[in-house]
Amino acid sequence: MKPVVWGVLSTSKIGLEQVIPAMLSSPLVELRAIASRSLPSAQAAARAAGIERAYGSYEELLADPAIEAVYNPLPNHLHVPLTLQAAAAGKHVLCEKPFALSVSEAQTVQMAASRVHIEEAFMVRHHPQWLRARELVRAGRIGTPRAVQVFFSYFNDDAANIRNQVTMGGGALYDIGCYAVLAGRYLFEAEPLRAVSLVDRDPVLGTDRTTSALLDYGAGRQVSFTVSTQSVPFQRVQVVGTKGRIELFIPFNATRNGQMRLALDEGGPLDGSGVTIETLPAADQYRLEVEAFSRRVREGVPPDASGLGDAVAQARVMDTLWQSECSGRWEPVAQD
């Protein structure tokens, strides 16, 4: 397969530390350009990574006729505007999560997705531990799935950090709560019917520093989660069924090219002596993500706006949780 020629919009931390190294390691990707609003920043990043071209504006990169696809890891409030600009320039777009800050914002991109490939970048969907967890659920190894429980936290109270700026889409729910929402949708392979949230906002920053939620999927299926930007770093996912449970130990920040472990408890003793630990193949979830996107671009499959339906459905749940914060009660999740 001829490599897809990529450009990166911004010198963000996730790009420099995670996605760019993944791109550079893949034979399916030719990373040719990086852009920043500061040309010196772009040039420094390009030198460090060995990227051929550096641009001092996003528009210059999007005007480069050699670039076929772009990775958009800009601050949350710029995801949709720059994705639309890239699509208008004929570029395919892999956009970081959360794809949009509202369902209406996400829907504005659907028409553009009929012309180029556009995808929300949830790398976890490509990791072997998540694929294995869903395989076990589908195979009935834990019986009928009843509950998914997620905890995800880190500590960052720096007011200058974009994750703590309300106007840029900062806060726990947008930054990491989106993973918890995805976990339920991915493992139940369904959409929630209603949701309720409890939000604690930082009195100075205004962002939600701790958010908990309960999602009702009907038929006795529930998702509960707590996410926090001001708690000790920790993450875990539990999937509990009528006959067993699955535990993911490092579900979201899996070590690059490291082996992850998954626990399968098929109803053994409470002391855990019957738990089976599976070791999953070493993988770089970011590389798997960009390679899967590159294959779609190169295989010539026509763009399909319905493919953005997942991002729209994800945004619907997030919108509902914000509505519940305001109302203080259960809110219905809009359905297609």
Side-chain angles (χ1 to χ4, degrees):
M1 170 182 146
K2 180 183 178 182
V4 173
V5 180
W6 284 77
V8 174
L9 300 176
S10 95
T11 55
S12 69
K13 183 178 179 180
I14 189 172
L16 295 179
E17 296 185 0
Q18 302 291 348
V19 181
I20 287 176
M23 287 177 162
L24 294 173
S25 72
S26 173
L28 306 187
V29 173
E30 180 184 342
L31 179 53
R32 190 171 294 183
I34 187 168
S36 170
R37 289 175 295 182
S38 163
L39 181 57
S41 293
Q43 291 171 330
R47 282 194 301 270
I51 300 171
E52 178 184 324
R53 303 175 188 175
Y55 291 111
S57 74
Y58 308 133
E59 290 73 19
E60 286 181 272
L61 185 148
L62 296 178
D64 185 336
I67 303 299
E68 298 176 271
V70 298
Y71 168 59
N72 178 0
L74 287 160
N76 295 343
H77 71 300
L78 295 177
H79 285 176
V80 166
L82 266 295
T83 293
L84 287 171
Q85 285 187 41
K91 316 299 185 187
H92 306 284
V93 186
L94 180 63
C95 179
E96 262 307 329
K97 58 75 195 166
F99 183 82
L101 299 182
S102 69
V103 67
S104 60
E105 196 180 43
Q107 288 170 331
T108 64
V109 188
Q110 283 192 297
M111 185 173 296
S114 65
R115 301 189 299 274
V116 295
H117 292 285
I118 301 175
E119 180 183 316
E120 184 172 23
F122 274 117
M123 73 295 182
V124 295
R125 289 187 286 208
H126 301 273
H127 198 283
Q129 65 178 337
W130 283 86
L131 296 171
R132 178 57 174 160
R134 188 161 67 173
E135 179 184 45
L136 290 169
V137 172
R138 287 174 171 175
R141 295 290 293 275
I142 62 170
T144 302
R146 296 294 192 201
V148 175
Q149 296 181 328
V150 180
F151 199 102
F152 192 4
S153 60
Y154 61 82
F155 196 97
N156 181 347
D157 60 357
D158 178 7
N161 191 286
I162 59 171
R163 291 175 177 80
N164 291 318
Q165 296 182 23
V166 174
T167 58
M168 293 187 176
L173 184 59
Y174 278 137
D175 189 37
I176 53 179
C178 58
Y179 286 113
V181 170
L182 178 75
R185 298 180 56 248
Y186 181 88
L187 293 166
F188 282 144
E189 298 187 75
E191 301 298 335
L193 304 177
R194 59 177 184 151
V196 65
S197 65
L198 177 63
V199 176
D200 172 46
R201 291 192 174 272
D202 187 292
V204 176
L205 300 173
T207 53
D208 63 309
R209 59 185 175 186
T210 302
T211 293
S212 298
L214 186 61
L215 308 177
D216 176 14
Y217 279 75
R221 299 170 299 175
Q222 301 177 2
V223 171
S224 58
F225 71 80
T226 295
V227 291
S228 178
T229 59
Q230 293 185 26
S231 295
V232 65
F234 179 71
Q235 52 187 263
R236 197 75 87 238
V237 169
Q238 298 267 2
V239 191
V240 180
T242 54
K243 296 180 180 179
R245 69 177 180 90
I246 299 163
E247 183 171 2
L248 299 178
F249 298 104
I250 310 177
F252 307 112
N253 297 122
T255 304
R256 175 183 289 116
N257 295 321
Q259 293 181 325
M260 293 295 99
R261 297 180 306 122
L262 172 155
L264 175 62
D265 179 358
E266 297 184 90
L270 291 177
D271 64 5
S273 58
V275 173
T276 299
I277 302 295
E278 294 190 17
T279 300
L280 286 306
D284 180 343
Q285 58 190 347
Y286 294 98
R287 174 173 167 169
L288 293 172
E289 176 183 57
V290 296
E291 288 186 335
F293 191 87
S294 294
R295 287 191 185 95
R296 279 196 296 280
V297 169
R298 190 57 77 228
E299 288 170 357
V301 177
D304 182 1
S306 65
L308 261 187
D310 186 84
V312 172
Q314 179 83 7
R316 283 197 184 102
V317 182
M318 303 286 279
D319 276 5
T320 304
L321 293 171
W322 293 130
Q323 292 165 12
S324 178
E325 178 195 6
C326 296
S327 71
R329 60 174 181 266
W330 284 95
E331 295 288 348
V333 179
Q335 305 296 314
D336 285 336

